[in-house]
Amino acid sequence: MTFVSGYSRKGNYAVIRQSKQTFNDLEGVLEMIIDLSVALVAIAFAVLVYFLIKTLKSAKESLDKVSQTLQEVQKTIDELTYEVKTTVRHANDITADVQSKIQKIDPIVDSVKNLGDVMNELTLTMKQVSVTVIEKYRKSRELKEKAKAVSVESTPPSPAEERTVKSYDSANAKKSPGKIAMALKGVDTAATIWQKFRH
């Protein structure tokens, strides 16, 4: 039994030694796996940093372009603002000038309106006067015609009447037509023309 036990001790030692060896080998493999993992992580991190740097450079270039564009836009807006302010000032000056000229023209327009009102009233008055004069002239004519119809010519005048008529005729024969008769004739003509013109 001792022989077996000695062998078994040696066998145990061998198993233990072999286990230690296997364990050491596993430890070495694990260390190698860890080292490889660390190396892979480092490589991946380096690749990530490389692409991140590339992306950041690209973003920086884009931001620089955006900044430059914004500066150009700001410059353009400043120029446009100046031009708009200038245009507004000119428009205000023109508006003020037009208003002052309108204020200067207002009395003239009022005068023309007043003249139109006066002419309208004058036309109405002249129309009324011409109608009145025409009516008086017609009545006068009608009265003369009635007077002639009822004339005393059918009866011979007495010598006193005959002398009065002769003196009246001789006095009127020497005179040229009076101003009133001429005015009435002119008014009658004007009224006739006016009526023809209206119709």
Side-chain angles (χ1 to χ4, degrees), residues 131-170:
V131 167
T132 305
V133 168
I134 290 170
E135 285 298 317
K136 284 184 179 180
Y137 182 72
R138 285 183 187 160
K139 284 183 182 178
S140 169
R141 190 183 293 167
E142 288 175 3
L143 285 175
K144 283 182 183 178
E145 288 175 5
K146 285 181 182 177
K148 283 184 182 178
V150 184
S151 170
V152 188
E153 292 178 4
S154 53
T155 59
S158 65
E161 289 176 339
E162 193 174 317
R163 275 186 305 213
T164 305
V165 169
K166 285 183 183 176
S167 67
Y168 180 77
D169 285 340
S170 64

Side-chain angles (χ1 to χ4, degrees), residues 11-199:
N12 281 342
Y13 284 125
V15 171
I16 290 176
R17 228 186 264 152
Q18 198 175 17
S19 294
K20 277 186 179 179
Q21 178 99 21
T22 308
F23 184 72
N24 284 339
D25 289 342
L26 279 174
E27 242 182 23
V29 170
L30 278 176
E31 282 181 19
M32 190 167 59
I33 290 174
I34 290 174
D35 289 342
L36 283 174
S37 297
V38 170
L40 281 175
V41 168
I43 291 171
F45 185 74
V47 169
L48 177 69
V49 167
Y50 172 76
F51 283 112
L52 186 61
I53 288 172
K54 222 174 166 183
T55 304
L56 288 175
K57 281 184 179 180
S58 175
K60 183 182 180 287
E61 289 173 3
S62 296
L63 287 175
D64 288 344
K65 287 179 183 178
V66 167
S67 176
Q68 183 181 5
T69 304
L70 286 175
Q71 287 175 354
E72 291 173 4
V73 166
Q74 183 63 39
K75 184 179 176 183
T76 305
I77 287 174
D78 290 342
E79 291 172 359
L80 285 175
T81 302
Y82 175 75
E83 290 178 13
V84 166
K85 285 180 182 177
T86 305
T87 304
V88 168
R89 280 191 206 116
H90 288 309
N92 288 341
D93 292 344
I94 290 170
T95 303
D97 186 42
V98 167
Q99 285 177 346
S100 69
K101 288 180 179 177
I102 287 174
Q103 288 174 353
K104 289 178 183 177
I105 292 175
D106 277 347
I108 296 171
V109 171
D110 290 342
S111 296
V112 169
K113 181 184 176 290
N114 291 339
L115 179 64
D117 292 344
V118 167
M119 291 302 289
N120 191 23
E121 289 178 17
L122 182 63
T123 302
L124 290 174
T125 304
M126 288 301 292
K127 184 178 176 183
Q128 289 172 350
V129 166
S130 65
V131 167
T132 305
V133 168
I134 290 170
E135 285 298 317
K136 284 184 179 180
Y137 182 72
R138 285 183 187 160
K139 284 183 182 178
S140 169
R141 190 183 293 167
E142 288 175 3
L143 285 175
K144 283 182 183 178
E145 288 175 5
K146 285 181 182 177
K148 283 184 182 178
V150 184
S151 170
V152 188
E153 292 178 4
S154 53
T155 59
S158 65
E161 289 176 339
E162 193 174 317
R163 275 186 305 213
T164 305
V165 169
K166 285 183 183 176
S167 67
Y168 180 77
D169 285 340
S170 64
N172 285 334
K174 292 179 184 175
K175 290 183 180 177
S176 61
K179 290 182 181 179
I180 294 175
M182 296 278 287
L184 288 177
K185 188 174 183 180
V187 168
D188 189 31
T189 305
T192 305
I193 292 171
W194 174 256
Q195 287 177 352
K196 286 181 181 179
F197 183 71
R198 279 181 60 197
H199 297 291

